[in-house]
Every structure is written in structure tokens, then in C-alpha cells.
Amino acid sequence: MGVQEPVNATAAYSGRGLVFEPPEAFRKRAFISSMEQYRELYERSIKDPEGFWREQAQRITWFEPFHTVKNTSFDPSNLYIRWFEGGKLNAAYNCIDRHLEKRADQVAFYWEPDNPDEEGKAITYRQLYEEVCRLANVLKKHGVKKGDRVTIYLPMIPEAIYAMLACARIGAIHSVVFAGFSPDSLADRILDGEATYLITADEGLRAGRRVPLKRNADQALERCPDVKTVLVVRRTGGDINWVEGRDRWYHEEIQTVSAECPPEVMDAEDPLFFLYTSGSTGKPKGVVHTTGGYLVYASLTHQFVFDYHEGDIYWCAADIGWITGHSYIVYGPLANGVTEVLFEGTPTYPDPSRIWQVVDKYQVNILYTSPTAIRALMREGDEWVKKTSRKSLRLLGTVGEPINPEAWLWYYRVVGEERCPIVDTWWQTETGGIMITPLPGATPLKPGSATLPFFGVQPAIVDNDGNILEGTADGMLVILDSWPGQMRTVYRAHDRFVQTYFTRFPGKYFTGDGARRDEDGYYWIVGRVDDVINVSGHRLGTAEIESALVLHEAVAEAAVVGYPHEIKGQGIYAFVTLKAGYAASDQLRQELIQHVRKVLGPIFTIDLLQFTPALPKTRSGKIMRRILRKIAANEYQDLGDTSTLADPSVVEELVQNRLNR
Ligand code: PRX
């Protein structure tokens, strides 16, 4: 950390680093306004989960009440996770219909386009209702029924929200695929999810560039014969290919149906959606979330973590293609009846002031973004921030990766002018909602720490053998008992669910993250301990990148690891051996980088690619990734035990030609 002294009245130097108390003005109106209050409620949530969650579940409108609050077991030989059994509800009804009486004319979201000169939109809850009902009727007209899967491949436009909620309304299960994924990645997800319906757009717009979504979709669908209907939103009006009988224009279809569509009555445990995420092995997993528990959890965490009050303007600058968009753009906030911002563009386009201009334009009070965005903006210099007002901001949040104290302090001082608490929220696609986080009116903040568990969450740190470590500790992060927002299974692969999360430490949910707990009980997330890397807050499986590399005719073998990257948190470092007859060259390096982007999508851009005659392997032929990680991090002096290497000279060669210096 660069700065160590106290900077204002709210920051005290504890001898262990900076601690920031909640500003008094913030504390006064906060729902949870003292640590005593937090502790009392937390204790209760752990001692009496049934009572606690029965009460919290009342924030949702149930068509029929549940009879059992919690029915869960983390025993890998008999694993089940069920919440609010017997309860009947509809997620779209909760996000829209129940608000109509009070807030039909309130803006649900402002849509801010990529280009600041293009006119945005303000969508009220009544309009949201009509748009969602129309689209739900279009889906029904094309035969989509409860339980059917619909893939959504859309940019950040209002129709993305309509599409998710239209599925929820009729009980179809949505599977959103991030618009930055390639045709192949899209096809894999459609096939795995057995989707029969696709919603996409002609093109997306990001930072002034066009993203050929329809073209990607056409290519993906060559492999997906079961998709019989494609609904296409016209975003740019660009030229696209058209398949008669299969493709339909969104704007034409919604004219043919009514603006009323009764919500399907769903069971609490009926799937609401699945969303693919990368693990250490194999293909991405379809993480399944169900209706009741997920909605209760998303809405409760949204209200308490962001201290959301009626009338606040809220902006989560994530993409709906990730879990953050699902839980904190769509389901949590809309269930709470917010007014929010939906932003199509990027924080630095057309210039690095854009994000703050949007804050001023809509008078945003609560901003939730990623450490990568903060680091990128910090690099551009303070002037871009300071030339805007930002007076409306009351609370700042981050998610997706560890935030380094320098970036935290910059966000706190320059952006929030020491007036806004920062909630550093730790969670995962699998957890459905925020798990470890400050409560902004109560928790003293330490830059870089996600602080303490949310209500009902029991984190623990274990050693390699699964022993729970008490007090200050360094090890692996597990969760000891279920919470309502937890994923229920991997789509069509329940064994994989049990295997991935519950067998390494039987009886506990294993997060895949390493963590430290300090003398105040605060959690510091260190990062993944498996072969998952986190690039700009995007979770990428090294196995996927390796598989893509070896698809190229020149590649014999590939090993991919993450390395520390100043802006992106982690960068992608690939070690590649070539087949006989191919020679290493800059041209081939570029070709391989482009090849991986094409196979997986542009977020998979390899930063450093080192050709090598051989990879370091054990005598049994296992690649020693530990060594590769060290070399990639430029920590080659300290490679640890290399005695099990089959051929130690390989390492010397790798070190000599390392690329990160
Ligand atoms: O390693 C942790 C990191 O992101 C992983 C989860 O990624 P994903 O499922 O894509 O969800 C991201 C958005 C919730 C975690 O295993 N991570 C997420 N939030 C934080 C974090 N690491 C440190 N601090 C955080 N606040």
C-alpha cells in the first residue's frame, strides 16, 4: 500500500493499516447502522436460520406460502439443497407487477447508449410490464413452454432485461451468453443447455465498435439444429443474413401480440436460469439457480449491502451476461422496485470521463463496478474525474476480483471524496448473491478486505486437509452451511456439482478461493487456488484456453497460467510447444493469439505467449504448473522444489526466454 497515514477524521491508523469508519451522515440513515446491530442480526441468522429466513422471505410476494424454510444437506453422498419448499411465486411478477399499484409511472431504468449523442430511454414500471408481457406472448406464440430453455445473446439494451423477465414470466429457463463470446462458445452453451429458442440482435455497440452478434449466431446455429426460432432485435440496422422461416424481427413480432400475459405459477425450487461459468477442468458448467431462494437472497442483499432506500438512483455497471448483471441489475434491484441505470457502453468511451458523466446525468447515488475499471480509470489521471461533480454519489461498490489498496484509496478519495463508503463484495456465480461484504452504515472498512460475512453466511478457512482454522488464519475458503441463493446443481451434470464443490472438503462448500482472516475476523480474499484465472473480473478456465490452442495445427502442447497484471488483475500467459515442421515466429505468435480469440471470444486474449521446446513435467508426465506460474510472475529465483522434474534443463530454458520482465 502506498499511503499509510490517516487521511481524515473517519480514518484511523490501527497499527495494522488504515481503517475507515462509516461517515456519520451515511450511518444516520442506514438500515444497519452499528456493529452491535450487525452482530445481533448475524448471530440470529446463524443460530436460527429458519426463523431468520422465514421472516426475510416475506419481502417477496408469494402466490402460496412455503411450508418448509430450509431443507439442505452438504453430505456428498446425500446432497440436497432446497429452500422455501411448497412456496409458489413468479420472479417477473415480483420484479414488475407488484410494483404497479405504487410505482407504475416511476422509472424502472434509464437506458444510456454507448454513444453519448444518441438519445437514451427512460422505461417506467408500466412500460416494463407491457414490454415483458408482449415478449412473453411472442415466446408462447412460438411454442416456448414452462421448463423450456431460451438462450439470450444480447448486448446491454433494454430488450436484454425484457428477455430475461419474459422467460421468467412464462417459466422458461433463460441462459444468457455474454455478447463477447465467440460463435463456438455460444454453440457449446446452446447445445449443453438444449435450448430451442434464441434471442439476439443484429449487432451490438461497444466503445463505438460494432459486434456482429447475428453473424456469430448464424455461425453457431450451424451446429444447433434444434433451435427453430431466432428473434432478432434491431439495434444498429446493419446488414445481416436472414434465414426465412427461422429468423423473426423482434419489433414486428411484438406488434402481433397482447400486452397482457398472466405470470406462470412457479415452485420455489423451479429453475429460474442457468449461467455458464468456468472451472478448473472441462467445459464451462451450467450453474442452475432456482426461483424462491435466489430471489429472496438477491433482493435482501441488494437492499442491505447497497443500503438501498426508496428514491435512490442505483447503477450497477456490470454486463447482464455475468451473474452480477443477473443478481444486481435484474432480479435484486427490480424486486426492490428501484430506479436504475442500464449502460450499453464502456467506462472510458468516448473519453475516460464517461462513467462520471453518466453519474452526473442521472444523479446516481450508488455505483457498483469492478476493480479493473477503477484501475483503468485511475491510470488516466484525476482530471477526468475532477471535472465532473459526482455530488450525488453516496455509496461505491466493487466486485469480481481482489481490489488492491491503491485502487481502493483512489476510488475512496478521488471518486467519492471521502464521503462514500466502499463495499468490496465477495461472491461467485455459484453463490447467487453477495456473501462477504461490509454493511456500509456499520462496518469499519479496510482497503482490500471484503470484511465480514452477510447474514446467514458461515465462512471458514481450512487447511489442505480440511481442518477448520480458528482465529487469524491463512488457507482455503469454504462455506459451512447453505444459504438461499446457493446454486442447486450443474445443468444435466449433478455429479459434477457434487464433485466440484463438496468432495474436496466433505460436508463443506469449497469456493475455489484462498483467503486470510485477520485479528479482527476480517476476510481478505487472495484469489483462486485452482486453475481458474480472473482477467478483468472475467473468470476464465485455463483448460479451455489450452484446448483452444491445441486445436491449431501448429501446436503440440500448451499450458496456460495467470500472472499479475497491473490493470486487469491477472493476465493470460501461454507456454506453447510446436509440432515438428513448425518454427516459432512473431507471426505464428500473433496467429495463435487470434486463433484463440476466434475460438473462444475476444475476452480470451493471450497477453504473453512463449514458445518453448518442452514443458516442465514430473516423471509421471504431469505438467508442473506451479513452476510455470512462478516463471510467468517473473519470480524465477524462487521456483521451490524442482527435484521431481523429469528434465530440469527445461526450466532453465523457460526462465531464460521468459516474457514478463
Ligand atoms: O476469485 C473470486 C473472485 O471472482 C470469483 C467468482 O467469479 P464469478 O463467478 O465470475 O463471479 C464474479 C462476480 C460475483 C471468486 O471465486 N471475486 C469475486 N469478488 C471478489 C473476488 N475476489 C476478491 N474480492 C472480491 N470482492
Side-chain angles (χ1 to χ4, degrees), residues 412-443:
Y412 188 77
R413 291 178 179 150
V414 179
V415 174
E417 296 171 333
E418 303 182 19
R419 176 183 74 242
C420 309
I422 295 179
V423 287
D424 172 357
T425 61
W426 175 85
W427 58 294
Q428 312 178 295
T429 306
E430 293 89 337
T431 70
I434 295 167
M435 299 286 280
I436 300 182
T437 177
L439 293 179
T443 317

Side-chain angles (χ1 to χ4, degrees), residues 308-328:
Y308 175 78
H309 290 259
E310 180 96 31
D312 284 347
I313 308 288
Y314 164 84
W315 179 17
C316 167
D319 193 287
I320 49 115
W322 310 109
I323 191 70
T324 307
H326 282 59
S327 301
Y328 298 111

Side-chain angles (χ1 to χ4, degrees), residues 277 323-324 398-402 424-430 450 511 513 525 527-528 534 537 539:
T277 193
I323 191 70
T324 307
T398 75
V399 59
E401 50 184 316
D424 172 357
T425 61
W426 175 85
W427 58 294
Q428 312 178 295
T429 306
E430 293 89 337
T511 63
D513 278 327
I525 309 299
R528 303 289 304 194
N534 192 327
R539 179 167 157 185

Side-chain angles (χ1 to χ4, degrees), residues 62-355:
W62 300 87
F63 296 147
E64 275 174 48
F66 45 88
H67 53 71
T68 308
V69 176
K70 178 176 188 284
N71 184 12
T72 67
S73 153
F74 278 7
D75 173 358
S77 61
N78 180 28
L79 188 115
Y80 50 90
I81 300 165
R82 295 192 276 270
W83 284 86
F84 308 121
E85 279 173 293
K88 307 274 181 206
L89 76 166
N90 183 285
Y93 180 92
N94 272 281
C95 290
I96 313 170
D97 306 41
R98 67 172 181 151
H99 303 314
L100 291 180
E101 198 183 327
K102 237 177 94 185
R103 48 180 108 248
D105 297 321
Q106 178 193 313
V107 172
F109 63 88
Y110 295 102
W111 177 65
E112 171 71 12
D114 184 57
N115 180 345
D117 297 331
E118 188 183 337
E119 205 177 325
K121 288 180 185 160
I123 307 297
T124 64
Y125 276 93
R126 179 183 315 288
Q127 285 170 304
L128 182 61
Y129 173 82
E130 287 175 4
E131 297 281 0
V132 168
C133 284
R134 282 187 190 279
L135 180 51
N137 282 329
V138 170
L139 293 173
K140 277 166 103 172
K141 181 179 135 187
H142 290 289
V144 179
K145 300 177 304 298
K146 177 173 175 174
D148 287 352
R149 277 82 46 209
V150 173
T151 300
I152 299 173
Y153 185 58
L154 283 174
M156 289 288 287
I157 53 178
E159 289 79 3
I161 292 184
Y162 307 155
M164 290 165 74
L165 292 175
C167 289
R169 192 161 191 92
I170 63 170
I173 305 168
H174 60 72
S175 161
V176 179
V177 177
F178 175 57
F181 278 127
S182 67
D184 267 335
S185 300
L186 173 61
D188 287 345
R189 285 158 175 74
I190 292 173
L191 291 169
D192 184 82
E194 302 169 309
T196 51
Y197 201 96
L198 176 68
I199 307 177
T200 188
D202 51 359
E203 295 174 312
L205 270 183
R206 250 175 98 73
R209 283 192 304 272
R210 289 173 179 230
V211 184
L213 294 176
K214 176 64 165 62
R215 196 173 79 203
N216 290 350
D218 286 337
Q219 215 176 313
L221 292 184
E222 287 171 16
R223 281 173 49 203
C224 308
D226 291 341
V227 175
K228 300 283 187 257
T229 312
V230 179
L231 196 62
V232 185
V233 180
R234 189 154 70 193
R235 169 65 187 99
T236 64
D239 272 349
I240 53 170
N241 171 49
W242 199 255
V243 177
E244 266 329 309
R246 184 195 75 182
D247 300 345
R248 319 228 166 211
W249 282 115
Y250 184 103
H251 60 271
E252 287 174 3
E253 288 292 312
I254 58 167
Q255 297 306 323
T256 65
V257 291
S258 121
E260 296 284 336
C261 173
E264 191 74 36
V265 175
M266 304 299 285
D267 200 87
E269 284 298 336
D270 279 337
L272 177 60
F273 65 85
F274 48 85
L275 182 61
Y276 286 85
T277 193
S278 295
S280 8
T281 53
K283 293 211 168 207
K285 298 182 285 280
V287 168
V288 177
H289 284 288
T290 57
T291 310
Y294 172 80
L295 200 63
V296 168
Y297 199 73
S299 120
L300 181 72
T301 47
H302 172 263
Q303 179 134 41
F304 280 178
V305 174
F306 299 108
D307 197 50
Y308 175 78
H309 290 259
E310 180 96 31
D312 284 347
I313 308 288
Y314 164 84
W315 179 17
C316 167
D319 193 287
I320 49 115
W322 310 109
I323 191 70
T324 307
H326 282 59
S327 301
Y328 298 111
I329 295 177
V330 181
Y331 291 108
L334 294 177
N336 293 342
V338 300
T339 296
E340 64 178 330
V341 176
L342 180 73
F343 178 42
E344 183 180 33
T346 61
T348 49
Y349 176 83
D351 68 44
S353 207
R354 182 73 188 280
I355 187 169

